[in-house]
Amino acid sequence: MKSVSPIQHAPRAVCILLSLLLAVSPLSFATVAAQTPVSATETRTQIAAAPQSGFRLERTPVAGGAELLTIFANLDGLSAGESRAPDVPLVSVLRDTMGDADPENDRLRYLWMLTYTKPTFTQRLAAAIPFLYNRAGNKRRAVGEGSPPPIIDLSSTEREVWNKIFWSALQNVLLDAYGFPLKASTRAYRRNVSDHRKAHIVRALAVLSLYEATEGGTPLFTRTEMQDIQARLMLTEKTLGGIVDDIYLQHVYQKETTLTRDVRGHNWELLRQHAEADSLYFEPLEMPDGSATHALLWVARPDLVRNRGRKFEGRFLNIKNPWRDDRLLNWQGYAETRYFDAENRAVEPGTPGAREVQLIPLALYGLDHPKIPILLVDFRDGRNPKKREMSRRVLEDLTRTVLSLSRFGDLPYFLSRSVYDFVTGRRGMDLNQPSRLRAYSQLKLLLSLNATLAPVLRDQIAHSLERVSLNPLENDLRVEAQVARDQYASLMEYARRPDGLASRLDKDRRAEMVPLKHGRTQQTLLRLASVASFGLYTHREKASPEMTARMELQRRLDYHERFLREAARSPRVEVDWNIEDVRRSLRFIAENGAAASGRMASVVARIFGRTNDEEARAICLNGLYRINNETAKKELLGIYNDQQVETRWRNVSAEYLRMAVRENQTIAPADAKTILSVVGQ
């Protein structure tokens, strides 16, 4: 492990630049070691990543026209001594390819975070105990349980929204009415189950981000697919996130990624400045892609004597004054020896003129937490982070479960809680802050991936970290690695069975056919029936070659519509996009106008208004003529009535409108009258 230098000697401008850009610090931990490729099998194709990435992707064909893509990682942080830990499968994604190599009709189905498993009976029982904020043992193995639970259904995220609404209504209307015991236990159980899933979603996001940043060779995920998956995972924290349209996923991904980068940079600089003011040592901990998600604070043993009795500004650090702590003077715990030159720069041992300094770890913080760097490990007081984490949970459980108070139903409580939240947030107090769940989950992954931490320090951090968890459903690091291997084996077995993943894929496709045969009202009623039956009933269409062809065509139309909607955001399409790709998508929609929707017609009309390309404009008008619905003809009439459009294009629009009237195409009655009076037959 590389040394850290006293940050009071670091140039302020350089530190600020590093914090804003999240650049790789030369004082931080090294990246994960290279991954040794594993030989391919007959049914499994491996795409090896770059030598230093620590990740690899494995592809497994699934009967029925699909494939499982699994990301493996070197969890060298869990290896013993110098031996290399074997690859551990972490994330699997099912891609429905319809049995061909054309990406236009692909659909992402399920995502498994393979450390996410069904809890044991003991864990479930403990999760339902009110005010129990502690682990309840580990699930040692996950063998013989059938298919592992997917963490998200990427093709049907709106179902999760309906389920949340249904369970919230059931909780408030029915379960809460049966008295405190049932109310408290069901609320506690639902909260723990939700937090358990969120923790693994955070970890899945981190794995996907790391793989995206470090992948090499031939990527099997397109950039759009990778960002869509991450955006869908990000949206799981939003109440209505599951109904966000695919067109906004790229915007969600960019917005959330930028926000995370800003928060991380803010916390980096905040923690660095306060450590500098208190003469402490700041060391970022890096993920394999170089991003610093956590940081350690150290104190030099010689400074304990030099600064004895000195005032300590603990704001944002949330630890006790090290200068008045007799335990540090007689510290018997973990410490590291580093070497510095005459200018207090970190150097290697044996460097001429280097002086030896012993550093003692004080605390470890998460940098991705909103508002402040969040304390995760206090090396002197293991209960300190947990008490702070419990503060918000206890307050919510007391007010909502015991006192039945609500922000929306009790004005005095709303006002007092708002004032309290404002004061604690403004002052940077680590009380009543959002949960450490994100930082906690990321640190567990970092400890697994980072082999440069000293084993004793890593074990001490891992042990302390488990104390922070409030969730009885959580397992520890080493157990999760074995659980992931067990669940991967179960998933592979499930994929090979005729009545397994292939059968599930067929059912999902038949459910996907429902919108092709039923209108929105009928779809809503069918969805309500599914939710009301707790998922026991799901309407599916009968598969046939005709329905399968319609489904595949609809997927292709959705693919081209999404591309055009993204292109239509540009002020001038041919400047920001490859105009030939735009023409190709326009041609496909025009050729399949009978199946195109009104939304597609609006997109085609926007493309017409944002391009000067002659061929693209001609295809747009032809497409609006071929799309047989009211929206398409309204857009065509709008182009004709727009005096700013060149006369020749308006004449082409008029001719198409005349042809549509003669062919009795679908036109709104009011628009039909206008066409007859203005354009004529």
Side-chain angles (χ1 to χ4, degrees):
M1 186 174 69
K2 298 183 180 180
S3 301
V4 288
S5 60
I7 63 170
Q8 59 263 36
H9 296 279
R12 180 177 176 82
V14 174
C15 288
I16 294 176
L17 180 61
L18 287 175
S19 68
L20 293 176
L21 299 180
L22 295 178
V24 178
S25 169
L27 309 177
S28 57
F29 295 105
T31 53
V32 172
Q35 164 60 38
T36 304
V38 179
S39 59
T41 66
E42 292 182 1
T43 61
R44 197 173 300 166
T45 304
Q46 174 184 306
I47 302 298
Q52 296 298 323
S53 70
F55 293 92
R56 66 179 176 87
L57 189 67
E58 188 175 88
R59 177 172 57 189
T60 304
V62 177
E67 58 185 6
L68 267 175
L69 306 173
T70 303
I71 298 176
F72 285 73
N74 293 132
L75 300 190
D76 288 339
L78 302 182
S79 61
E82 298 298 325
S83 62
R84 173 178 291 279
D87 284 354
V88 176
L90 293 178
V91 175
S92 290
V93 179
L94 178 64
R95 178 197 279 155
D96 181 0
T97 64
M98 299 295 293
D100 58 36
D102 188 350
E104 293 182 7
N105 63 356
D106 289 354
R107 173 158 292 195
L108 298 173
R109 289 289 181 186
Y110 299 101
L111 184 144
W112 290 267
M113 181 66 197
L114 295 168
T115 56
Y116 178 68
T117 183
K118 300 171 184 176
T120 64
F121 175 77
T122 302
Q123 288 176 321
R124 291 180 186 272
L125 187 63
I129 299 177
F131 302 102
L132 176 62
Y133 309 121
N134 205 358
R135 292 264 311 278
N138 290 304
K139 181 175 183 177
R140 295 292 176 181
R141 299 299 297 265
V143 180
E145 297 183 349
S147 63
I151 204 165
I152 187 174
D153 182 352
L154 295 166
S155 63
S156 185
T157 53
E158 70 279 355
R159 184 181 304 170
E160 183 181 343
V161 175
W162 285 88
N163 288 338
K164 284 181 180 178
I165 294 173
F166 175 77
W167 280 107
S168 295
L170 186 67
Q171 179 73 57
N172 288 280
V173 175
L174 183 62
L175 299 179
D176 288 356
Y178 279 87
F180 176 78
L182 183 61
K183 174 184 178 181
S185 61
T186 52
R187 283 188 176 273
Y189 183 78
R190 289 183 59 228
R191 171 69 178 266
N192 286 323
V193 168
S194 176
D195 285 351
H196 180 55
R197 178 171 176 262
K198 286 179 183 177
H200 289 274
I201 285 176
V202 168
R203 223 167 301 168
L205 265 170
V207 171
L208 290 167
S209 298
L210 291 172
Y211 176 78
E212 182 184 28
T214 60
E215 69 177 346
T218 305
L220 291 186
F221 287 110
T222 66
R223 183 176 180 82
T224 299
E225 282 180 331
M226 181 64 76
Q227 294 182 359
D228 283 359
I229 294 171
Q230 294 180 69
R232 282 298 178 195
L233 291 173
M234 293 170 181
L235 286 168
T236 56
E237 297 185 10
K238 311 293 183 183
T239 303
L240 301 178
I243 61 176
V244 173
D245 195 283
D246 288 350
I247 186 63
Y248 300 109
L249 293 182
Q250 299 297 306
H251 174 70
V252 169
Y253 171 80
Q254 293 168 5
K255 180 181 177 181
E256 293 296 325
T257 302
T258 301
L259 178 61
T260 298
R261 193 175 294 123
D262 291 343
V263 167
R264 194 179 295 169
H266 164 78
N267 286 335
W268 171 306
E269 183 62 14
L270 189 64
L271 188 60
R272 186 201 64 80
Q273 286 183 356
H274 280 75
E276 176 182 355
D278 288 313
S279 298
L280 302 178
Y281 290 67
F282 170 84
E283 180 175 27
L285 303 182
E286 292 182 352
M287 288 288 195
D289 64 346
S291 61
T293 56
H294 299 79
L296 273 167
L297 288 190
W298 305 75
V299 63
R301 192 182 287 273
D303 290 342
L304 293 172
V305 178
R306 186 181 306 118
N307 296 323
R308 186 67 176 169
R310 172 179 169 176
K311 182 181 178 181
F312 178 74
E313 178 57 58
R315 186 183 179 190
F316 298 113
L317 300 184
N318 295 302
I319 56 175
K320 293 181 179 179
N321 188 345
W323 314 125
R324 297 179 181 177
D325 192 343
D326 293 335
R327 291 174 299 175
L328 289 175
L329 290 175
N330 304 297
W331 186 254
Q332 300 299 318
Y334 179 81
E336 285 192 11
T337 300
R338 309 291 180 86
Y339 296 87
F340 302 95
D341 61 15
E343 298 180 1
N344 285 317
R345 293 176 300 189
V347 295
E348 298 295 331
T351 302
R355 60 186 176 86
E356 180 181 298
V357 178
Q358 192 175 57
L359 298 178
I360 299 172
L362 289 180
L364 189 150
Y365 298 83
L367 301 179
D368 281 1
H369 195 269
K371 298 182 181 178
I372 60 173
I374 205 72
L375 179 67
L376 291 174
V377 177
D378 186 338
F379 290 91
R380 293 175 290 163
D381 183 2
R383 295 175 297 176
N384 182 22
K386 183 159 188 172
K387 289 187 293 186
R388 297 176 183 277
E389 171 71 358
M390 286 174 58
S391 61
R392 186 182 185 93
R393 181 76 177 267
V394 170
L395 178 62
E396 290 184 351
D397 286 350
L398 284 174
T399 54
R400 298 187 62 184
T401 305
V402 179
L403 302 177
S404 298
L405 296 177
S406 168
R407 286 176 178 266
F408 305 102
D410 192 285
L411 182 59
Y413 172 69
F414 170 77
L415 294 176
S416 59
R417 181 66 184 271
S418 298
V419 172
Y420 178 63
D421 290 347
F422 175 78
V423 172
T424 54
R426 188 66 177 268
R427 295 292 301 169
M429 299 167 62
D430 189 8
L431 292 172
N432 192 42
Q433 292 289 346
S435 174
R436 287 166 168 74
L437 192 63
R438 179 184 178 89
Y440 166 82
S441 301
Q442 287 179 330
L443 183 55
K444 290 187 74 171
L445 181 64
L446 186 148
L447 292 176
S448 302
L449 295 172
N450 197 320
T452 60
L453 279 170
V456 176
L457 177 61
R458 184 172 57 248
D459 290 344
Q460 186 174 347
I461 293 174
H463 179 70
S464 300
L465 190 62
E466 298 304 334
R467 296 181 181 178
V468 182
S469 175
L470 308 181
N471 200 328
L473 303 179
E474 283 292 318
N475 298 308
D476 66 30
L477 280 171
R478 297 185 186 278
V479 168
E480 285 186 343
Q482 184 57 50
V483 166
R485 295 187 184 98
D486 291 344
Q487 296 215 121
Y488 177 69
S490 298
L491 184 59
M492 292 298 103
E493 175 63 25
Y494 184 60
R496 287 190 289 266
R497 283 167 30 202
D499 61 339
L501 198 52
S503 175
R504 187 172 185 171
L505 179 65
D506 177 67
K507 292 179 180 178
D508 290 338
R509 286 176 178 171
R510 290 193 288 117
E512 186 183 343
M513 295 173 185
V514 171
L516 303 178
K517 202 167 183 179
H518 299 279
R520 290 190 176 183
T521 302
Q522 291 175 311
Q523 292 178 51
T524 302
L525 294 174
L526 292 171
R527 193 176 292 114
L528 283 172
S530 177
V531 173
S533 64
F534 299 93
L536 296 176
Y537 170 76
T538 300
H539 184 74
R540 299 181 178 92
E541 298 300 324
K542 184 178 180 180
S544 66
E546 179 189 358
M547 290 299 295
T548 301
R550 288 181 62 187
M551 181 186 69
E552 183 177 5
L553 174 60
Q554 188 60 48
R555 287 190 187 183
R556 294 180 185 274
L557 286 169
D558 292 343
Y559 174 90
H560 289 289
E561 179 195 353
R562 177 175 177 179
F563 172 73
L564 292 176
R565 289 176 71 183
E566 292 175 356
R569 291 182 173 185
S570 303
R572 190 56 57 198
V573 173
E574 59 267 30
V575 174
D576 298 327
W577 299 84
N578 184 336
I579 194 61
E580 185 51 46
D581 290 340
V582 175
R583 292 174 190 153
R584 187 171 68 88
S585 292
L586 289 170
R587 288 192 197 97
F588 186 87
I589 291 179
E591 291 166 1
N592 298 277
S597 64
R599 191 172 66 173
M600 291 185 189
S602 299
V603 174
V604 171
R606 286 204 301 273
I607 292 290
F608 177 87
R610 299 195 176 189
T611 182
N612 289 326
D613 183 76
E614 298 280 325
E615 186 176 352
R617 282 195 147 193
I619 301 172
C620 285
L621 295 181
N622 181 256
L624 291 174
Y625 159 68
R626 289 175 175 239
I627 298 175
N628 188 12
N629 58 49
E630 294 181 357
T631 303
K633 301 309 170 288
K634 184 181 290 292
E635 295 288 357
L636 202 56
L637 182 61
I639 292 172
Y640 171 79
N641 290 328
D642 189 351
Q643 300 298 322
Q644 296 182 354
V645 176
E646 296 178 50
T647 303
R648 59 195 179 98
W649 294 119
R650 295 178 62 215
N651 291 337
V652 174
S653 302
E655 182 57 31
Y656 279 135
L657 288 169
R658 294 189 190 97
M659 292 168 60
V661 171
R662 288 196 294 267
E663 295 169 3
N664 292 320
Q665 290 193 17
T666 304
I667 306 173
D671 292 337
K673 291 181 180 179
T674 304
I675 293 171
L676 291 174
S677 62
V678 178
V679 179
Q681 293 190 4

